[in-house]
PDB file of all heavy atoms in Angstrom:
ATOM      1  N   LEU A 334      10.682  16.337  -2.035  1.00 98.00           N
ATOM      2  CA  LEU A 334      10.529  14.875  -2.088  1.00 98.00           C
ATOM      3  C   LEU A 334      11.113  14.378  -3.412  1.00 98.00           C
ATOM      4  O   LEU A 334      10.747  14.889  -4.473  1.00 98.00           O
ATOM      5  CB  LEU A 334       9.037  14.505  -2.025  1.00 98.00           C
ATOM      6  CG  LEU A 334       8.663  13.073  -2.437  1.00 98.00           C
ATOM      7  CD1 LEU A 334       9.069  12.065  -1.353  1.00 98.00           C
ATOM      8  CD2 LEU A 334       7.161  12.957  -2.715  1.00 98.00           C
ATOM      9  N   ALA A 335      12.011  13.389  -3.360  1.00 98.00           N
ATOM     10  CA  ALA A 335      12.456  12.724  -4.598  1.00 98.00           C
ATOM     11  C   ALA A 335      11.676  11.426  -4.727  1.00 98.00           C
ATOM     12  O   ALA A 335      11.586  10.647  -3.769  1.00 98.00           O
ATOM     13  CB  ALA A 335      13.945  12.445  -4.554  1.00 98.00           C
ATOM     14  N   MET A 336      11.083  11.214  -5.896  1.00 98.00           N
ATOM     15  CA  MET A 336      10.358   9.963  -6.167  1.00 98.00           C
ATOM     16  C   MET A 336      11.157   9.169  -7.188  1.00 98.00           C
ATOM     17  O   MET A 336      11.513   9.702  -8.246  1.00 98.00           O
ATOM     18  CB  MET A 336       8.974  10.267  -6.748  1.00 98.00           C
ATOM     19  CG  MET A 336       8.128  11.176  -5.872  1.00 98.00           C
ATOM     20  SD  MET A 336       6.455  11.355  -6.527  1.00 98.00           S
ATOM     21  CE  MET A 336       6.760  12.276  -8.030  1.00 98.00           C
ATOM     22  N   VAL A 337      11.451   7.934  -6.855  1.00 98.00           N
ATOM     23  CA  VAL A 337      12.217   7.071  -7.764  1.00 98.00           C
ATOM     24  C   VAL A 337      11.288   5.960  -8.231  1.00 98.00           C
ATOM     25  O   VAL A 337      10.833   5.148  -7.413  1.00 98.00           O
ATOM     26  CB  VAL A 337      13.451   6.462  -7.054  1.00 98.00           C
ATOM     27  CG1 VAL A 337      14.234   5.572  -8.019  1.00 98.00           C
ATOM     28  CG2 VAL A 337      14.336   7.553  -6.458  1.00 98.00           C
ATOM     29  N   PHE A 338      10.998   5.931  -9.518  1.00 98.00           N
ATOM     30  CA  PHE A 338      10.108   4.898 -10.056  1.00 98.00           C
ATOM     31  C   PHE A 338      10.877   3.963 -10.980  1.00 98.00           C
ATOM     32  O   PHE A 338      11.299   4.353 -12.057  1.00 98.00           O
ATOM     33  CB  PHE A 338       8.935   5.536 -10.822  1.00 98.00           C
ATOM     34  CG  PHE A 338       7.865   6.085  -9.923  1.00 98.00           C
ATOM     35  CD1 PHE A 338       7.768   7.449  -9.683  1.00 98.00           C
ATOM     36  CD2 PHE A 338       6.962   5.227  -9.306  1.00 98.00           C
ATOM     37  CE1 PHE A 338       6.780   7.949  -8.839  1.00 98.00           C
ATOM     38  CE2 PHE A 338       5.981   5.728  -8.457  1.00 98.00           C
ATOM     39  CZ  PHE A 338       5.876   7.088  -8.226  1.00 98.00           C
ATOM     40  N   SER A 342       3.414   3.620 -12.568  1.00 98.00           N
ATOM     41  CA  SER A 342       2.494   4.041 -11.511  1.00 98.00           C
ATOM     42  C   SER A 342       1.554   5.130 -11.998  1.00 98.00           C
ATOM     43  O   SER A 342       1.939   5.963 -12.818  1.00 98.00           O
ATOM     44  CB  SER A 342       3.280   4.601 -10.326  1.00 98.00           C
ATOM     45  OG  SER A 342       2.396   5.227  -9.418  1.00 98.00           O
ATOM     46  N   THR A 345       0.296   6.188  -7.153  1.00 98.00           N
ATOM     47  CA  THR A 345       1.407   6.517  -6.253  1.00 98.00           C
ATOM     48  C   THR A 345       2.074   7.809  -6.711  1.00 98.00           C
ATOM     49  O   THR A 345       2.362   8.697  -5.905  1.00 98.00           O
ATOM     50  CB  THR A 345       2.392   5.330  -6.207  1.00 98.00           C
ATOM     51  OG1 THR A 345       1.642   4.169  -5.832  1.00 98.00           O
ATOM     52  CG2 THR A 345       3.514   5.565  -5.212  1.00 98.00           C
ATOM     53  N   ARG A 346       2.273   7.923  -8.015  1.00 98.00           N
ATOM     54  CA  ARG A 346       2.904   9.121  -8.572  1.00 98.00           C
ATOM     55  C   ARG A 346       2.061  10.363  -8.269  1.00 98.00           C
ATOM     56  O   ARG A 346       2.550  11.366  -7.751  1.00 98.00           O
ATOM     57  CB  ARG A 346       3.062   8.936 -10.099  1.00 98.00           C
ATOM     58  CG  ARG A 346       3.388  10.196 -10.861  1.00 98.00           C
ATOM     59  CD  ARG A 346       4.875  10.449 -10.954  1.00 98.00           C
ATOM     60  NE  ARG A 346       5.136  11.803 -11.425  1.00 98.00           N
ATOM     61  CZ  ARG A 346       5.337  12.150 -12.693  1.00 98.00           C
ATOM     62  NH1 ARG A 346       5.307  11.220 -13.643  1.00 98.00           N
ATOM     63  NH2 ARG A 346       5.587  13.397 -13.026  1.00 98.00           N
ATOM     64  N   PHE A 349       1.636  11.192  -4.317  1.00 99.00           N
ATOM     65  CA  PHE A 349       2.818  11.773  -3.671  1.00 99.00           C
ATOM     66  C   PHE A 349       3.134  13.161  -4.224  1.00 99.00           C
ATOM     67  O   PHE A 349       3.485  14.069  -3.473  1.00 99.00           O
ATOM     68  CB  PHE A 349       4.044  10.848  -3.819  1.00 99.00           C
ATOM     69  CG  PHE A 349       4.147   9.852  -2.694  1.00 99.00           C
ATOM     70  CD1 PHE A 349       3.826   8.526  -2.893  1.00 99.00           C
ATOM     71  CD2 PHE A 349       4.556  10.254  -1.425  1.00 99.00           C
ATOM     72  CE1 PHE A 349       3.903   7.604  -1.845  1.00 99.00           C
ATOM     73  CE2 PHE A 349       4.643   9.342  -0.375  1.00 99.00           C
ATOM     74  CZ  PHE A 349       4.315   8.009  -0.586  1.00 99.00           C
ATOM     75  N   ILE A 361      10.599  15.812  -7.193  1.00 98.00           N
ATOM     76  CA  ILE A 361      11.325  15.497  -8.422  1.00 98.00           C
ATOM     77  C   ILE A 361      10.991  14.059  -8.750  1.00 98.00           C
ATOM     78  O   ILE A 361      11.037  13.196  -7.867  1.00 98.00           O
ATOM     79  CB  ILE A 361      12.854  15.581  -8.222  1.00 98.00           C
ATOM     80  CG1 ILE A 361      13.252  16.936  -7.674  1.00 98.00           C
ATOM     81  CG2 ILE A 361      13.588  15.282  -9.522  1.00 98.00           C
ATOM     82  CD1 ILE A 361      14.720  16.996  -7.301  1.00 98.00           C
ATOM     83  N   ASN A 362      10.641  13.801 -10.008  1.00 98.00           N
ATOM     84  CA  ASN A 362      10.313  12.434 -10.419  1.00 98.00           C
ATOM     85  C   ASN A 362      11.478  11.832 -11.191  1.00 98.00           C
ATOM     86  O   ASN A 362      11.916  12.384 -12.191  1.00 98.00           O
ATOM     87  CB  ASN A 362       9.052  12.450 -11.283  1.00 98.00           C
ATOM     88  CG  ASN A 362       8.597  11.057 -11.623  1.00 98.00           C
ATOM     89  OD1 ASN A 362       8.570  10.173 -10.757  1.00 98.00           O
ATOM     90  ND2 ASN A 362       8.262  10.825 -12.874  1.00 98.00           N
ATOM     91  N   LEU A 363      11.984  10.719 -10.690  1.00 97.00           N
ATOM     92  CA  LEU A 363      13.131  10.057 -11.327  1.00 97.00           C
ATOM     93  C   LEU A 363      12.715   8.664 -11.786  1.00 97.00           C
ATOM     94  O   LEU A 363      12.123   7.909 -11.004  1.00 97.00           O
ATOM     95  CB  LEU A 363      14.279   9.928 -10.325  1.00 97.00           C
ATOM     96  CG  LEU A 363      14.768  11.231  -9.684  1.00 97.00           C
ATOM     97  CD1 LEU A 363      15.562  10.945  -8.429  1.00 97.00           C
ATOM     98  CD2 LEU A 363      15.609  11.997 -10.684  1.00 97.00           C
ATOM     99  N   VAL A 387      17.739  16.329  -0.958  1.00 98.00           N
ATOM    100  CA  VAL A 387      16.295  16.404  -0.721  1.00 98.00           C
ATOM    101  C   VAL A 387      15.992  16.053   0.736  1.00 98.00           C
ATOM    102  O   VAL A 387      16.892  15.652   1.483  1.00 98.00           O
ATOM    103  CB  VAL A 387      15.513  15.463  -1.678  1.00 98.00           C
ATOM    104  CG1 VAL A 387      15.818  15.769  -3.139  1.00 98.00           C
ATOM    105  CG2 VAL A 387      15.801  13.993  -1.365  1.00 98.00           C
ATOM    106  N   LEU A 389      13.247  13.950   1.652  1.00 98.00           N
ATOM    107  CA  LEU A 389      12.473  12.712   1.769  1.00 98.00           C
ATOM    108  C   LEU A 389      12.559  11.983   0.430  1.00 98.00           C
ATOM    109  O   LEU A 389      12.594  12.628  -0.626  1.00 98.00           O
ATOM    110  CB  LEU A 389      11.014  13.104   2.060  1.00 98.00           C
ATOM    111  CG  LEU A 389       9.975  12.052   2.362  1.00 98.00           C
ATOM    112  CD1 LEU A 389      10.330  11.275   3.636  1.00 98.00           C
ATOM    113  CD2 LEU A 389       8.605  12.710   2.534  1.00 98.00           C
ATOM    114  N   VAL A 390      12.593  10.643   0.485  1.00 98.00           N
ATOM    115  CA  VAL A 390      12.666   9.863  -0.757  1.00 98.00           C
ATOM    116  C   VAL A 390      11.567   8.798  -0.745  1.00 98.00           C
ATOM    117  O   VAL A 390      11.353   8.135   0.271  1.00 98.00           O
ATOM    118  CB  VAL A 390      14.041   9.171  -0.908  1.00 98.00           C
ATOM    119  CG1 VAL A 390      14.091   8.343  -2.191  1.00 98.00           C
ATOM    120  CG2 VAL A 390      15.166  10.194  -0.901  1.00 98.00           C
ATOM    121  N   MET A 391      10.871   8.660  -1.867  1.00 98.00           N
ATOM    122  CA  MET A 391       9.903   7.571  -2.062  1.00 98.00           C
ATOM    123  C   MET A 391      10.446   6.722  -3.204  1.00 98.00           C
ATOM    124  O   MET A 391      10.832   7.269  -4.242  1.00 98.00           O
ATOM    125  CB  MET A 391       8.532   8.164  -2.433  1.00 98.00           C
ATOM    126  CG  MET A 391       7.379   7.202  -2.496  1.00 98.00           C
ATOM    127  SD  MET A 391       7.366   6.071  -3.885  1.00 98.00           S
ATOM    128  CE  MET A 391       7.488   7.163  -5.267  1.00 98.00           C
ATOM    129  N   ILE A 392      10.477   5.411  -2.998  1.00 98.00           N
ATOM    130  CA  ILE A 392      11.002   4.527  -4.056  1.00 98.00           C
ATOM    131  C   ILE A 392      10.009   3.428  -4.380  1.00 98.00           C
ATOM    132  O   ILE A 392       9.470   2.779  -3.478  1.00 98.00           O
ATOM    133  CB  ILE A 392      12.321   3.838  -3.637  1.00 98.00           C
ATOM    134  CG1 ILE A 392      13.323   4.856  -3.122  1.00 98.00           C
ATOM    135  CG2 ILE A 392      12.915   3.053  -4.805  1.00 98.00           C
ATOM    136  CD1 ILE A 392      14.628   4.235  -2.676  1.00 98.00           C
ATOM    137  N   ARG A 393       9.784   3.201  -5.677  1.00 98.00           N
ATOM    138  CA  ARG A 393       9.056   2.025  -6.162  1.00 98.00           C
ATOM    139  C   ARG A 393      10.058   1.202  -6.971  1.00 98.00           C
ATOM    140  O   ARG A 393      10.604   1.677  -7.963  1.00 98.00           O
ATOM    141  CB  ARG A 393       7.873   2.439  -7.034  1.00 98.00           C
ATOM    142  CG  ARG A 393       7.287   1.277  -7.807  1.00 98.00           C
ATOM    143  CD  ARG A 393       5.964   1.583  -8.430  1.00 98.00           C
ATOM    144  NE  ARG A 393       4.925   1.646  -7.422  1.00 98.00           N
ATOM    145  CZ  ARG A 393       3.608   1.600  -7.695  1.00 98.00           C
ATOM    146  NH1 ARG A 393       3.197   1.512  -8.938  1.00 98.00           N
ATOM    147  NH2 ARG A 393       2.717   1.661  -6.735  1.00 98.00           N
ATOM    148  N   THR A 394      10.301  -0.024  -6.510  1.00 98.00           N
ATOM    149  CA  THR A 394      11.324  -0.819  -7.190  1.00 98.00           C
ATOM    150  C   THR A 394      10.983  -2.307  -7.147  1.00 98.00           C
ATOM    151  O   THR A 394       9.851  -2.677  -6.830  1.00 98.00           O
ATOM    152  CB  THR A 394      12.720  -0.505  -6.590  1.00 98.00           C
ATOM    153  OG1 THR A 394      13.722  -1.161  -7.368  1.00 98.00           O
ATOM    154  CG2 THR A 394      12.842  -0.943  -5.143  1.00 98.00           C
ATOM    155  N   ILE A 400      15.517  -1.325  -1.677  1.00 98.00           N
ATOM    156  CA  ILE A 400      15.058  -0.201  -0.849  1.00 98.00           C
ATOM    157  C   ILE A 400      15.767  -0.220   0.515  1.00 98.00           C
ATOM    158  O   ILE A 400      16.083   0.826   1.087  1.00 98.00           O
ATOM    159  CB  ILE A 400      13.521  -0.237  -0.735  1.00 98.00           C
ATOM    160  CG1 ILE A 400      12.958   1.129  -0.464  1.00 98.00           C
ATOM    161  CG2 ILE A 400      13.001  -1.207   0.243  1.00 98.00           C
ATOM    162  CD1 ILE A 400      11.493   1.202  -0.767  1.00 98.00           C
ATOM    163  N   PHE A 403      19.155   1.234  -0.100  1.00 98.00           N
ATOM    164  CA  PHE A 403      19.026   2.689  -0.257  1.00 98.00           C
ATOM    165  C   PHE A 403      18.902   3.337   1.123  1.00 98.00           C
ATOM    166  O   PHE A 403      19.617   4.293   1.452  1.00 98.00           O
ATOM    167  CB  PHE A 403      17.814   3.026  -1.127  1.00 98.00           C
ATOM    168  CG  PHE A 403      17.758   4.467  -1.552  1.00 98.00           C
ATOM    169  CD1 PHE A 403      18.042   4.845  -2.858  1.00 98.00           C
ATOM    170  CD2 PHE A 403      17.436   5.483  -0.641  1.00 98.00           C
ATOM    171  CE1 PHE A 403      18.001   6.177  -3.249  1.00 98.00           C
ATOM    172  CE2 PHE A 403      17.401   6.814  -1.015  1.00 98.00           C
ATOM    173  CZ  PHE A 403      17.686   7.166  -2.324  1.00 98.00           C
ATOM    174  N   PRO A 410      14.593  10.241   5.481  1.00 98.00           N
ATOM    175  CA  PRO A 410      13.639   9.126   5.518  1.00 98.00           C
ATOM    176  C   PRO A 410      13.302   8.588   4.122  1.00 98.00           C
ATOM    177  O   PRO A 410      13.224   9.350   3.155  1.00 98.00           O
ATOM    178  CB  PRO A 410      12.399   9.739   6.170  1.00 98.00           C
ATOM    179  CG  PRO A 410      12.897  10.914   6.938  1.00 98.00           C
ATOM    180  CD  PRO A 410      14.052  11.449   6.151  1.00 98.00           C
ATOM    181  N   VAL A 411      13.090   7.286   4.067  1.00 98.00           N
ATOM    182  CA  VAL A 411      12.763   6.604   2.814  1.00 98.00           C
ATOM    183  C   VAL A 411      11.408   5.911   2.965  1.00 98.00           C
ATOM    184  O   VAL A 411      11.143   5.266   3.983  1.00 98.00           O
ATOM    185  CB  VAL A 411      13.854   5.556   2.460  1.00 98.00           C
ATOM    186  CG1 VAL A 411      13.490   4.809   1.169  1.00 98.00           C
ATOM    187  CG2 VAL A 411      15.219   6.229   2.332  1.00 98.00           C
ATOM    188  N   ILE A 412      10.567   6.058   1.939  1.00 99.00           N
ATOM    189  CA  ILE A 412       9.231   5.443   1.926  1.00 99.00           C
ATOM    190  C   ILE A 412       9.186   4.387   0.831  1.00 99.00           C
ATOM    191  O   ILE A 412       9.606   4.649  -0.308  1.00 99.00           O
ATOM    192  CB  ILE A 412       8.147   6.513   1.631  1.00 99.00           C
ATOM    193  CG1 ILE A 412       8.123   7.581   2.729  1.00 99.00           C
ATOM    194  CG2 ILE A 412       6.774   5.870   1.461  1.00 99.00           C
ATOM    195  CD1 ILE A 412       7.241   8.790   2.386  1.00 99.00           C
ATOM    196  N   ASN A 413       8.639   3.229   1.160  1.00 99.00           N
ATOM    197  CA  ASN A 413       8.429   2.173   0.161  1.00 99.00           C
ATOM    198  C   ASN A 413       7.154   2.473  -0.633  1.00 99.00           C
ATOM    199  O   ASN A 413       6.051   2.402  -0.099  1.00 99.00           O
ATOM    200  CB  ASN A 413       8.307   0.816   0.879  1.00 99.00           C
ATOM    201  CG  ASN A 413       8.100  -0.339  -0.085  1.00 99.00           C
ATOM    202  OD1 ASN A 413       7.840  -0.133  -1.267  1.00 99.00           O
ATOM    203  ND2 ASN A 413       8.210  -1.557   0.429  1.00 99.00           N
ATOM    204  N   GLY A 414       7.316   2.787  -1.898  1.00 98.00           N
ATOM    205  CA  GLY A 414       6.165   3.053  -2.775  1.00 98.00           C
ATOM    206  C   GLY A 414       5.760   1.818  -3.557  1.00 98.00           C
ATOM    207  O   GLY A 414       5.068   1.945  -4.564  1.00 98.00           O
ATOM    208  N   LEU A 415       6.153   0.661  -3.120  1.00 98.00           N
ATOM    209  CA  LEU A 415       5.863  -0.692  -3.643  1.00 98.00           C
ATOM    210  C   LEU A 415       7.176  -1.382  -4.036  1.00 98.00           C
ATOM    211  O   LEU A 415       8.011  -0.816  -4.749  1.00 98.00           O
ATOM    212  CB  LEU A 415       4.936  -0.666  -4.878  1.00 98.00           C
ATOM    213  CG  LEU A 415       4.530  -2.023  -5.499  1.00 98.00           C
ATOM    214  CD1 LEU A 415       3.115  -1.962  -6.066  1.00 98.00           C
ATOM    215  CD2 LEU A 415       5.500  -2.455  -6.596  1.00 98.00           C
ATOM    216  N   CYS A 422       2.239   1.722   1.759  1.00 99.00           N
ATOM    217  CA  CYS A 422       1.433   2.950   1.615  1.00 99.00           C
ATOM    218  C   CYS A 422      -0.008   2.605   1.242  1.00 99.00           C
ATOM    219  O   CYS A 422      -0.952   3.289   1.667  1.00 99.00           O
ATOM    220  CB  CYS A 422       2.027   3.866   0.550  1.00 99.00           C
ATOM    221  SG  CYS A 422       3.587   4.595   1.060  1.00 99.00           S
ATOM    222  N   ARG A 577      -5.120   7.451  -0.452  1.00 98.00           N
ATOM    223  CA  ARG A 577      -3.660   7.420  -0.617  1.00 98.00           C
ATOM    224  C   ARG A 577      -3.109   8.831  -0.418  1.00 98.00           C
ATOM    225  O   ARG A 577      -2.093   9.038   0.241  1.00 98.00           O
ATOM    226  CB  ARG A 577      -3.285   6.922  -2.038  1.00 98.00           C
ATOM    227  CG  ARG A 577      -3.592   5.470  -2.327  1.00 98.00           C
ATOM    228  CD  ARG A 577      -2.643   4.521  -1.626  1.00 98.00           C
ATOM    229  NE  ARG A 577      -1.237   4.756  -1.940  1.00 98.00           N
ATOM    230  CZ  ARG A 577      -0.593   4.267  -3.004  1.00 98.00           C
ATOM    231  NH1 ARG A 577      -1.211   3.482  -3.871  1.00 98.00           N
ATOM    232  NH2 ARG A 577       0.701   4.520  -3.189  1.00 98.00           N
ATOM    233  N   GLN A 581      -0.841   9.588   2.901  1.00 99.00           N
ATOM    234  CA  GLN A 581       0.582   9.823   2.613  1.00 99.00           C
ATOM    235  C   GLN A 581       1.016  11.243   2.969  1.00 99.00           C
ATOM    236  O   GLN A 581       2.184  11.473   3.279  1.00 99.00           O
ATOM    237  CB  GLN A 581       0.879   9.519   1.133  1.00 99.00           C
ATOM    238  CG  GLN A 581       0.811   8.029   0.850  1.00 99.00           C
ATOM    239  CD  GLN A 581       0.708   7.686  -0.608  1.00 99.00           C
ATOM    240  OE1 GLN A 581       0.422   6.552  -0.935  1.00 99.00           O
ATOM    241  NE2 GLN A 581       0.918   8.636  -1.508  1.00 99.00           N
ATOM    242  N   MET A 585       4.176  11.790   5.259  1.00 99.00           N
ATOM    243  CA  MET A 585       5.311  12.676   4.929  1.00 99.00           C
ATOM    244  C   MET A 585       5.524  13.703   6.039  1.00 99.00           C
ATOM    245  O   MET A 585       6.661  13.982   6.423  1.00 99.00           O
ATOM    246  CB  MET A 585       5.072  13.370   3.579  1.00 99.00           C
ATOM    247  CG  MET A 585       5.157  12.403   2.407  1.00 99.00           C
ATOM    248  SD  MET A 585       5.211  13.226   0.793  1.00 99.00           S
ATOM    249  CE  MET A 585       3.505  13.673   0.554  1.00 99.00           C
TER     250      MET A 585
END
Side-chain angles (χ1 to χ4, degrees):
L334 164 74
M336 304 186 292
V337 180
F338 282 103
S342 169
T345 305
R346 166 89 193 266
F349 271 105
I361 305 173
N362 185 44
L363 303 162
V387 303
L389 186 62
V390 179
M391 188 288 306
I392 309 179
R393 167 167 287 196
T394 187
I400 205 162
F403 191 107
V411 178
I412 298 170
N413 181 349
L415 181 146
C422 290
R577 292 287 303 275
Q581 289 164 192
M585 290 191 282

